[in-house]
């Protein structure tokens, strides 16, 4: 059986200061069949200049330039432009580890029917700490796999997962979602296709305050509509609706944590009350009740 081919898509928006690290980590992969595709999403910094310099220096990659449309639109274009069947979306502020593509290929060889491979990765924090995040064995039962993902028994990091293009045959990323746009897609794939994991680490994921993961304004724009997108807009089977109310509470509590960390105390109060309506025991637990009471005073 021939080696699977990979397209690594690097979305780049105002990441001129670090896109070189991401790109070189891909082009240095010792693997026979892969494409490095960088999509510049209307950057206003020196991202294009950096990429031009790298190309002149002999780095081999494909470059697409477009007006700013957001991460979801970039991912969709990457799917359309990819030359290979397996796609990896690597954020421009992260990097692949040596041997990453071979690790993915080895995992795929054990389960050719799989539509997604979730790998281990290293989370790198601003203070220099590094934490290895290793996925568990993904349940063969799609109901259990989806439940485990939605309720955070395992996580999926872009850059540390590879998805076969057939997983996108009935779903795409929602361009109006400028944050958490990957969650409905991951949910859809877990509910409909075999998914496997590998303990091999394939990426370094950098944690920093400027990351879109910590953008409170974007989190507010998405808010509780994420629940609707997952359970009504991602083609989940009917059995998945049994998870919806519980997920609503979990989503609200996630927003409580994010808002509290960002000192958005009004947001804490709003989302805590929504969580209380569906998960009263969890909302009234000391860690969440304390955040709520502090926020009531400080808002």
């Amino acid at each position: 059986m021939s080696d699977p081919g990979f397209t690594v898509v690097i979305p780049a928006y105002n990441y001129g200061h670090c896109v070189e690290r991401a790109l070189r980590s891909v082009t240095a992969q010792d693997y026979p069949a892969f494409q490095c595709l960088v999509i510049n999403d209307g950057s206003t910094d020196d991202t294009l200049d950096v990429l031009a310099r790298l190309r002149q220096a002999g780095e081999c990659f494909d470059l697409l330039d477009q007006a700013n449309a957001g991460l979801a639109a970039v991912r969709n274009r990457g799917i359309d432009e990819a030359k290979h069947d397996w796609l990896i979306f690597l954020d421009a502020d992260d990097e692949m580890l040596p041997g990453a593509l071979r690790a993915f290929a080895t995992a795929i060889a054990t389960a050719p029917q799989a539509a997604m491979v979730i790998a281990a990765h290293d989370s790198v924090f601003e203070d220099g700490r590094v934490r290895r995040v290793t996925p568990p064995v993904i349940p063969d039962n799609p109901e259990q796999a989806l439940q485990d993902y939605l309720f955070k028994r395992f996580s999926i990091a872009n850059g540390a997962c590879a998805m076969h293009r057939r997983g996108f045959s009935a779903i795409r990323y929602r361009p109006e979602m400028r944050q958490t746009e990957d969650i409905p897609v991951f949910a859809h794939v877990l509910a409909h296709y075999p998914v496997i994991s590998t303990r091999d680490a394939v990426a370094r994921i950098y944690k920093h305050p400027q990351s879109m993961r910590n953008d409170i304004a974007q989190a507010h724009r998405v808010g509780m509509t994420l629940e609707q997108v997952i359970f009504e807009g991602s083609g989940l089977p009917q059995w998945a609706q049994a998870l919806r109310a519980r997920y609503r509470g979990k989503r609200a509590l996630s927003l409580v944590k994010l808002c509290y960390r960002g000192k958005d105390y009004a947001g804490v109060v709003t989302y805590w009350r929504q969580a209380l309506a569906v998960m009263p025991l969890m909302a009234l637990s000391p860690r969440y009740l304390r955040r709520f009471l502090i926020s009531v005073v400080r808002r």
Side-chain angles (χ1 to χ4, degrees):
M1 183 174 65
S2 60
D3 292 320
F6 297 93
T7 290
V8 182
V9 180
I10 302 177
Y13 175 67
N14 289 350
Y15 272 134
H17 62 285
C18 60
V19 68
E20 179 174 353
R21 179 182 65 195
L23 188 146
R24 287 187 182 274
S25 75
V26 177
T27 59
Q29 292 291 311
D30 179 19
Y31 189 79
F34 75 94
Q35 171 196 19
C36 180
L37 174 59
V38 182
I39 303 179
N40 179 56
D41 190 36
S43 295
T44 57
D45 67 351
D46 63 344
T47 294
L48 280 176
D49 294 334
V50 172
L51 294 170
R53 174 175 57 79
L54 290 169
R55 178 166 280 173
Q56 290 174 357
E59 294 293 339
C60 184
F61 62 95
D62 295 326
L63 174 62
L64 297 174
D65 186 26
Q66 65 180 37
N68 181 258
L71 193 53
V74 171
R75 297 198 201 286
N76 287 336
R77 189 169 185 192
I79 296 166
D80 293 334
E81 302 284 350
K83 296 178 180 177
H84 297 289
D85 285 337
W86 285 91
L87 290 99
I88 301 166
F89 296 103
L90 179 71
D91 290 344
D93 53 342
D94 297 329
E95 64 180 313
M96 299 194 86
L97 292 174
L101 296 183
R102 287 196 177 276
F104 278 125
T106 298
I108 292 166
T110 68
Q113 76 283 5
M116 179 161 63
V117 181
I118 305 168
H121 68 272
D122 290 334
S123 290
V124 183
F125 298 88
E126 284 195 302
D127 60 6
R129 290 180 298 118
V130 179
R131 180 170 64 90
R132 175 65 55 87
V133 179
T134 303
V137 175
I138 307 302
D140 292 333
N141 181 345
E143 296 184 38
Q144 189 63 56
L146 178 62
Q147 181 172 257
D148 287 354
Y149 171 63
L150 290 180
F151 300 122
K152 300 185 177 181
R153 297 189 184 101
F154 67 86
S155 61
I156 306 174
N158 283 298
C161 71
M163 291 184 284
H164 196 277
R165 67 167 63 252
R166 68 176 176 273
F168 299 105
S169 61
I171 192 170
R172 289 295 179 98
Y173 296 94
R174 299 279 288 266
E176 71 273 17
M177 298 180 67
R178 294 291 181 118
Q179 194 190 65
T180 64
E181 76 292 329
D182 49 1
I183 294 177
V185 173
F186 290 150
H188 174 87
V189 173
L190 284 162
H192 289 283
Y193 298 95
V195 175
I196 61 172
S197 63
T198 174
R199 297 180 65 85
D200 291 329
V202 300
R204 289 169 67 89
I205 308 296
Y206 290 85
K207 307 292 186 178
H208 54 86
Q210 296 75 33
S211 170
M212 289 186 64
R213 306 176 186 97
N214 298 315
D215 189 330
I216 294 177
Q218 293 294 351
H220 270 311
R221 291 188 184 99
V222 176
M224 297 301 294
T225 62
L226 178 60
E227 173 208 336
Q228 181 179 1
V229 173
I230 292 173
F231 288 94
E232 297 178 17
S234 62
L236 291 186
Q238 185 60 37
W239 54 256
Q241 296 303 314
L243 306 174
R244 184 167 185 172
R246 185 179 169 201
Y247 182 80
R248 184 182 310 128
K250 283 289 189 179
R251 171 62 177 168
L253 291 175
S254 292
L255 290 167
V256 166
K257 291 190 289 185
L258 181 62
C259 289
Y260 189 81
R261 190 164 62 242
K263 299 182 179 180
D264 177 4
Y265 299 117
V268 171
V269 172
T270 296
Y271 293 123
W272 183 88
R273 286 173 173 163
Q274 292 185 50
L276 181 66
V278 289
M279 298 184 72
L281 292 180
M282 183 66 75
L284 291 169
S285 65
R287 59 175 172 163
Y288 291 113
L289 182 58
R290 176 179 171 273
R291 290 167 176 159
F292 169 71
L293 294 174
I294 291 172
S295 299
V296 167
V297 174
R298 293 182 179 179
R299 63 177 173 166

